[in-house]
Amino acid sequence: MSTAITDLLHRHGHRRDRLVQLLHDVQALQGWLPRPALAELAAGLGLSAAVVEGVAGFYRFFHLQPVGRYHLLFADNVTDRFAGSRALAADLCRRLWLEPGRTSEDGLARVGFTSCTGLGDQGPALLLNQQRVITRLDGGRIAEIAELVRAQVPVAEWPAEWFVVEPGVRRPGVLLNAPAPRGEAIVATRARGAAAALDEVQASGLRGRGGAGYPTHAKWRACLAAPLAAGQTRVVVCNADEGEPGTFKDRVLLMQHAHAVFEGMGVAAEVLGARQGLVYLRAEYRFLLEGLQAVLAERRAAGLLGPHFDIEIHLGAGAYVCGEESALIESLEGKRGTPRIRPPFPVERGYLGQPTVVNNVETFAAVAWIARHGAAAWAALGTPESRGSKLHSVSGDVSRPGVYELPFGTPLAELLREAGAHDVQAVQLGGPSGLLLAPPDFERRLGFEDLPTAGALMVFNRQRDLLEVVRGFAQFFAHESCGFCTPCRVGTELVVRRLDKLHAGHGSPFDERELRDLEALMHGTTHCGLGASATNPLRDLLQRFPEALRSRSPHAGFVPGFDLDAELASARAATGRDDRHAHLDQVPR
């Protein structure tokens, strides 16, 4: 076994649950994961090589083949495409004599695409070697990047200003205006006592900010009610896998308000009696890791994490499904990110079989604020059903993209005006798994009782093709399906193929009926909620924008999506036939 891998195994305690982190460290040694290295890991962890390769192959940011010294991945969200990302990627490939998705013959570079990178307010953007991000790309920047790659200039010597990510706060509220807490919330929690502090969270009306909107106090109470076995502790997990396309609010909190997030985790630990905290940071936010570790080190040195509680950051590896809390826990345990069958729920049996609370980044920031300022102050914001403020990531066809913090109950139209949206045709609220809204919906209010949202808002003006919007989202879901259940694995691909057929001009009423059937099937049969929500954009397109489909269905009868006669070409070549009986369009009827 190589010395480097032996040292890594020793540093991680030869723990099986550290496999994903070990794969990151091994890949950092040479840029990819050779099979012999995976075999060494398997031996050191007491696992089969098939298990280790199966985990590595699940995550798109682990590479089983070389990807070059310069690996450039363009963000491929719909808003990035509309901003010209695909043309820019094609230009870079042309300048580097590359085919997209293929490593150059000399092993120098590779150009490809990845899902939304959480930089929708500063796109088009790309990831460089999965370590750094370059925002606000244009033709001139692409030419400069190509020159640096061809000259093999080390990334550390590239212009530093290219890697600057702006916070992008357009309208701050109570959370984004708050100074960094230095233990005040934890002191207040201890003064109240755990039971009273939990009552305070309940009185605030705080609900989860990750999308589901489950009452925070109820989740914590369920975790407290779960029995502990000998040697176990309750675990606090921060879900920082902000993978929903169009969402970047948590990026802002992690950049500027990490103290508040960690303080909120500390409050939860005080209430739950937890000794272990984990942050699951999406791989696309790798550029934030050192800053977050520095904040943790500062708080640890100042005694702000408590004598019996500590927090560790785990880096994800590129899997949208890991935003689902049970899949996230599987990944934390070093496994493929496949959602678990529930019950038992994570609050009963979560990380390593221990009762586990998983909350969103924004939720923990709100917890710290509530502990410091009181439930009444939080509940005074928003509506009776939706208390407090909410962060919104606004991108697309607006003149002022960025993060807006507004009280719940604010009309959607007000947010659109503030963001500089004009001639709006549609708004995708809550990311692709949310709602595709039409102008009659714009006077509705943002809140759990009317327009619930995880915090993403993509705006599309009347020049945009909504079929292309929904087709892009369908491609995203097909690419990100974990593959566990057939309805999601196959259903998402069938939706893409049907929309591709419409895009190519071969649509008919038959295709609309097929899409309606697929949409109904997926909502009722998938293994997890992410699969069930994969056809939400299609559902809303059918309901709110039927003309977007019908205008692409010019044929009254069924039309195949491919050339049937051309499919017989290989058979004709194999048999040496080219007579009229070997052609479908020439066979006598």
Side-chain angles (χ1 to χ4, degrees), residues 5 30 59 143 157 229 244 268 305 407 414:
I5 292 182
Q30 49 191 313
Y59 298 94
E157 298 176 17
E244 190 71 33
L305 295 179
E414 180 179 328

Side-chain angles (χ1 to χ4, degrees), residues 250-570:
D250 292 346
R251 182 203 80 211
V252 171
L253 288 170
L254 294 169
M255 287 177 65
Q256 293 195 312
H257 298 272
H259 278 284
V261 176
F262 295 143
E263 185 118 343
M265 294 179 70
V267 170
E270 291 288 330
V271 170
L272 299 171
R275 297 194 302 272
Q276 185 172 16
L278 298 164
V279 176
Y280 188 89
L281 182 69
R282 71 182 306 217
E284 292 85 346
Y285 288 171
R286 169 64 180 78
F287 67 97
L288 298 177
L289 181 59
E290 282 75 17
L292 292 171
Q293 289 174 330
V295 173
L296 268 181
E298 178 186 340
R299 294 184 68 83
R300 200 175 284 121
L304 298 180
L305 295 179
H308 307 297
F309 179 68
D310 200 5
I311 296 172
E312 182 181 0
I313 301 174
H314 280 234
L315 192 63
Y320 168 73
V321 72
C322 288
E324 194 274 338
E325 62 178 7
S326 68
L328 181 152
I329 290 171
E330 288 285 293
S331 187
L332 285 173
E333 293 181 354
K335 304 171 187 174
R336 295 162 63 94
T338 303
R340 294 176 176 177
I341 295 173
R342 299 181 290 180
F345 294 92
V347 291
E348 301 166 305
R349 191 155 69 244
Y351 177 67
L352 300 180
Q354 302 171 114
T356 302
V357 157
V358 182
N359 283 125
N360 172 261
V361 170
E362 185 182 352
T363 306
F364 281 121
V367 164
W369 195 94
I370 291 164
R372 187 174 182 182
H373 298 281
W378 183 260
L381 303 169
T383 71
E385 294 82 9
S386 305
R387 305 283 189 178
S389 69
K390 181 75 185 80
L391 273 62
H392 302 277
S393 316
V394 183
S395 61
D397 295 318
V398 295
S399 59
R400 294 183 291 278
V403 173
Y404 294 75
E405 184 181 1
L406 301 169
F408 270 128
T410 300
L412 174 57
E414 180 179 328
L415 178 52
L416 293 174
R417 283 193 297 271
E418 284 210 31
H422 301 285
D423 195 30
V424 180
Q425 177 183 195
V427 169
Q428 184 68 43
L429 183 67
S433 62
L435 299 166
L436 181 62
L437 302 173
D441 299 305
F442 295 171
E443 293 303 324
R444 295 171 61 185
R445 295 180 179 274
L446 298 163
F448 295 109
E449 68 274 28
D450 192 4
L451 291 177
T453 174
L457 193 146
M458 289 177 275
V459 180
F460 304 105
N461 64 30
R462 295 188 183 279
Q463 282 67 56
R464 304 302 184 190
D465 182 347
L466 292 185
L467 180 67
E468 284 304 290
V469 171
V470 172
R471 182 167 164 257
F473 292 153
Q475 291 167 345
F476 164 78
F477 282 117
H479 181 262
E480 293 293 341
S481 172
C482 77
F484 178 80
C485 71
T486 301
C488 182
R489 182 181 66 251
V490 177
T492 53
E493 180 61 32
L494 290 176
V495 169
V496 169
R497 292 184 185 184
R498 194 66 59 178
L499 293 173
D500 285 348
K501 183 184 174 188
L502 289 165
H503 170 76
H506 301 306
S508 70
F510 171 84
D511 298 294
E512 182 177 336
R513 290 194 298 271
E514 285 290 296
L515 285 169
R516 290 185 184 277
D517 289 344
L518 281 168
E519 191 274 327
L521 174 70
M522 300 232 353
H523 267 94
T525 58
T526 57
H527 173 65
C528 76
L530 296 185
S533 63
T535 53
N536 282 358
L538 173 61
R539 174 203 62 199
D540 291 336
L541 186 74
L542 290 165
Q543 290 178 357
R544 293 186 170 97
F545 305 95
E547 273 306 306
L549 279 179
R550 291 169 190 164
S551 64
R552 308 295 275 273
S553 303
H555 305 282
F558 173 77
V559 177
F562 56 92
D563 187 337
L564 291 170
D565 187 68
E567 294 298 310
L568 295 175
S570 59

Side-chain angles (χ1 to χ4, degrees), residues 75-86 116-117 119-120 123-125:
D76 198 34
N77 188 23
V78 170
T79 54
D80 291 287
R81 294 183 187 181
F82 288 160
S85 62
R86 292 206 160 186
C116 179
T117 56
L119 295 160

Side-chain angles (χ1 to χ4, degrees), residues 107-345:
L108 179 63
R110 180 171 181 160
V111 175
F113 295 94
T114 188
S115 300
C116 179
T117 56
L119 295 160
D121 58 331
Q122 299 171 52
L126 64 76
L127 294 178
L128 175 58
N129 293 344
Q130 297 168 202
Q131 301 277 329
R132 299 173 181 242
V133 296
I134 302 177
T135 62
R136 306 189 190 283
L137 295 167
D138 57 24
R141 182 62 46 82
I142 291 297
E144 294 177 280
I145 290 172
E147 289 180 8
L148 292 174
V149 171
R150 285 198 302 265
Q152 301 186 38
V153 176
V155 172
E157 298 176 17
W158 288 26
E161 63 270 18
W162 288 8
F163 305 119
V164 173
V165 177
E166 299 171 1
V169 176
R170 293 288 184 174
R171 177 173 167 176
V174 293
L175 294 182
L176 295 178
N177 272 327
R182 302 288 176 167
E184 299 90 346
I186 294 174
V187 170
T189 299
R190 290 173 181 164
R192 289 188 181 99
L198 183 51
D199 290 340
E200 196 77 4
V201 173
Q202 180 173 355
S204 74
L206 179 65
R207 296 169 67 169
R209 294 311 199 241
Y214 193 74
T216 304
H217 77 92
K219 182 179 283 191
W220 292 14
R221 291 188 193 279
C223 186
L224 277 171
L228 289 175
Q232 285 190 332
T233 180
R234 294 183 177 86
V235 182
V236 176
V237 174
C238 176
N239 184 348
D241 191 56
E242 189 174 45
E244 190 71 33
T247 313
F248 45 85
K249 65 181 181 65
D250 292 346
R251 182 203 80 211
V252 171
L253 288 170
L254 294 169
M255 287 177 65
Q256 293 195 312
H257 298 272
H259 278 284
V261 176
F262 295 143
E263 185 118 343
M265 294 179 70
V267 170
E270 291 288 330
V271 170
L272 299 171
R275 297 194 302 272
Q276 185 172 16
L278 298 164
V279 176
Y280 188 89
L281 182 69
R282 71 182 306 217
E284 292 85 346
Y285 288 171
R286 169 64 180 78
F287 67 97
L288 298 177
L289 181 59
E290 282 75 17
L292 292 171
Q293 289 174 330
V295 173
L296 268 181
E298 178 186 340
R299 294 184 68 83
R300 200 175 284 121
L304 298 180
L305 295 179
H308 307 297
F309 179 68
D310 200 5
I311 296 172
E312 182 181 0
I313 301 174
H314 280 234
L315 192 63
Y320 168 73
V321 72
C322 288
E324 194 274 338
E325 62 178 7
S326 68
L328 181 152
I329 290 171
E330 288 285 293
S331 187
L332 285 173
E333 293 181 354
K335 304 171 187 174
R336 295 162 63 94
T338 303
R340 294 176 176 177
I341 295 173
R342 299 181 290 180
F345 294 92

